[in-house]
Amino acid sequence: MPVKFFRYLLPAALLLLAGCHRAMPAVAFHADGRPTMLSDWHVVEARDGKLELNAGVVPYSLNSHLFTDYVHKLRTIWMPKGASAKYTANGPLDFPVGTIISKTFYYPRAADGKFSDVARTLDYSGDFAGQGLDLASVHMVETRLLVRRKDGWAPFTYVWNEAQTEAGLARTGDVQALTLVDAQGGREDFNYVVPDEGQCVTCHEADMLSRHIQPIGPKARHMNREYGYGSGRQNQLEHLVAMGYLMGLPALKDVPRDANWRDPSASLDARARAYLDINCAMCHNPNGVASVTGFSLGPDTPEDHRLGLCKSPEAAGPATGGRLFDIVPGKPDESILMYRMASTRPGVMMPEIGRSTVDREGEVLIRAWILSLKGNCDIVH
């Protein structure tokens, strides 16, 4: 065989071997146990300077995002071959056994900053393009998994190492000292708190009686939007249908849709209700852990005392700040809701877990919404 042939064969063989080395093993569904490393699942992994999604792992986003100290989130869904979720109009999609939902929490890195300096920005446009993250430009914090096992959903939290190469199981949570840096160079030190397993259950416990946990974000009204996949933009629910991951989807005109609370073209009421839905309604609903308050913030709650208008608190105690009602129409500074949103004091702030800073933009939105509400609390409903 001519030497010239080997000259071309060897580089090709080396490239093939390199490609095989980089290939990610198939997603591993663990029906029991608590795998100690995120890579044990092969859902998302750090490879060649990128956080890569495995084959069949579908990224998605929400119309409105839950606030968590300005952290950004990459969400994904994976299901076993031949399995699919069933459409539901109100609650989470009905996912089959074997489903793995992941949510990776990360920050864009602050320009010319230390590793602990992270950017305070709501702009996601430079973070990823449908399929992973550039690890050189982001600071990875944690990846949470919700795994649908035979006996229900199981939560797992993995914290990324400083080398940004792997994440380990953190059953008792974690605390990381970080500094938010805004576009003007303003700095805010805070402690990013990774929740322990008990705190995960608190937010995801959909029914106080059954004590079952379930996903919060992947509901039709939150996912009814377009996403920029590698192959182009498509409605997320229709994309899941095309992937074989969803059945029973009605025409999109018949699917509920929450507003994007940051969309100025949407009405103030729609934006505020969407914000309260994604940030508060997981607990503040008739069956949730805050049902005892009688304060419900779901999208279908009528605009009366059930939504907090002129309603005295049931269990807030000193967290009222001396205010009498959950929401006083036209008077945000007299509303308990506004007081608790603007606080970072344990026992006062709401949500009570999941943040150490104040959502300044969300606070502005809810303040404007309360100012727009008509009526007064002279006559208690």
Side-chain angles (χ1 to χ4, degrees):
M1 189 174 293
V3 173
K4 185 177 181 180
F5 177 79
F6 284 103
R7 188 183 306 156
Y8 292 105
L9 178 62
L10 183 58
L14 290 174
L15 285 172
L16 180 62
L17 288 172
C20 292
H21 176 72
R22 286 195 301 269
M24 198 183 304
V27 173
F29 167 68
H30 297 272
D32 52 34
R34 309 199 68 79
T36 58
M37 308 305 293
L38 179 62
S39 60
D40 292 332
W41 300 88
H42 304 304
V43 174
V44 295
E45 292 186 15
R47 287 171 169 262
D48 300 324
K50 295 181 180 179
L51 182 73
E52 295 185 357
L53 280 57
N54 209 339
V57 175
V58 180
Y60 72 99
S61 190
L62 308 179
N63 283 313
S64 285
H65 297 275
L66 170 68
F67 177 78
T68 313
D69 289 331
Y70 292 97
V71 77
H72 292 205
K73 301 167 188 177
L74 173 59
R75 300 170 172 86
T76 74
I77 296 172
W78 177 87
M79 297 179 213
K81 186 176 181 179
S84 62
K86 297 176 183 176
Y87 172 82
T88 58
N90 297 314
L93 303 179
D94 185 5
F95 292 101
V97 172
T99 300
I100 303 174
I101 297 173
S102 84
K103 184 163 57 173
T104 296
F105 295 68
Y106 67 96
Y107 288 95
R109 294 191 181 183
D112 303 322
K114 300 181 299 183
F115 183 73
S116 59
D117 288 353
V118 295
R120 178 189 174 277
T121 175
L122 298 173
D123 182 8
Y124 277 62
S125 61
D127 296 355
F128 60 92
Q131 299 293 331
L133 297 171
D134 177 8
L135 295 179
S137 62
V138 300
H139 176 126
M140 308 281 286
V141 182
E142 58 169 319
T143 295
R144 302 179 194 174
L145 302 182
L146 267 182
V147 180
R148 182 66 170 88
R149 290 174 164 173
K150 188 175 181 181
D151 57 352
W153 290 96
F156 301 86
T157 298
Y158 296 88
V159 173
W160 285 87
N161 60 22
E162 189 166 332
Q164 308 281 268
T165 56
E166 177 64 284
L169 186 65
R171 300 189 66 174
T172 58
D174 191 31
V175 179
Q176 298 185 16
L178 300 175
T179 300
L180 284 168
V181 182
D182 63 26
Q184 291 73 43
R187 301 172 65 85
E188 179 182 359
D189 297 333
F190 74 105
N191 288 324
Y192 182 99
V193 179
V194 177
D196 60 36
E197 289 183 359
Q199 291 171 318
C200 291
V201 170
T202 297
C203 283
H204 285 273
E205 192 172 72
D207 192 313
M208 282 290 289
L209 296 178
S210 68
R211 313 292 289 187
H212 291 159
I213 69 171
Q214 65 181 22
I216 295 171
K219 299 175 182 177
R221 66 180 181 271
H222 298 319
M223 294 183 66
N224 186 7
R225 54 163 287 173
E226 287 191 345
Y227 189 92
Y229 302 97
S231 56
R233 299 191 67 80
Q234 186 180 11
N235 180 277
Q236 294 183 135
L237 297 172
E238 291 184 329
H239 185 77
L240 291 180
V241 171
M243 288 282 297
Y245 278 3
L246 180 61
M247 61 175 64
L249 177 69
L252 287 182
K253 65 180 179 62
D254 298 321
V255 178
R257 181 181 182 276
D258 263 7
N260 175 353
W261 73 263
R262 295 176 56 211
D263 179 5
S265 69
S267 71
L268 176 60
D269 185 71
R271 294 168 60 209
R273 295 299 296 268
Y275 181 93
L276 294 171
D277 182 14
I278 193 64
N279 282 281
C280 313
M282 77 285 280
C283 293
H284 283 278
N285 68 76
N287 300 312
V289 296
S291 58
V292 66
T293 66
F295 186 20
S296 185
L297 293 169
D300 300 323
T301 305
E303 205 167 277
D304 58 20
H305 67 281
R306 285 165 288 185
L307 191 63
L309 273 64
C310 300
K311 188 190 79 62
S312 298
E314 299 290 337
T320 64
R323 291 151 178 82
L324 299 178
F325 304 109
D326 292 329
I327 297 175
V328 180
K331 299 180 179 180
D333 291 326
E334 295 182 19
S335 302
I336 297 170
L337 172 64
M338 197 79 256
Y339 173 70
R340 302 191 74 172
M341 276 187 65
S343 176
T344 56
R345 287 174 52 199
V348 175
M349 69 178 186
M350 278 290 171
E352 58 187 355
I353 57 176
R355 71 176 179 91
S356 301
T357 61
V358 173
D359 182 357
R360 302 177 198 171
E361 293 78 10
E363 184 182 10
V364 169
L365 171 71
I366 300 304
R367 174 175 292 276
W369 175 66
I370 294 176
L371 279 169
S372 75
L373 296 175
K374 306 301 181 184
N376 61 70
C377 295
D378 294 339
I379 301 175
V380 180
H381 294 278

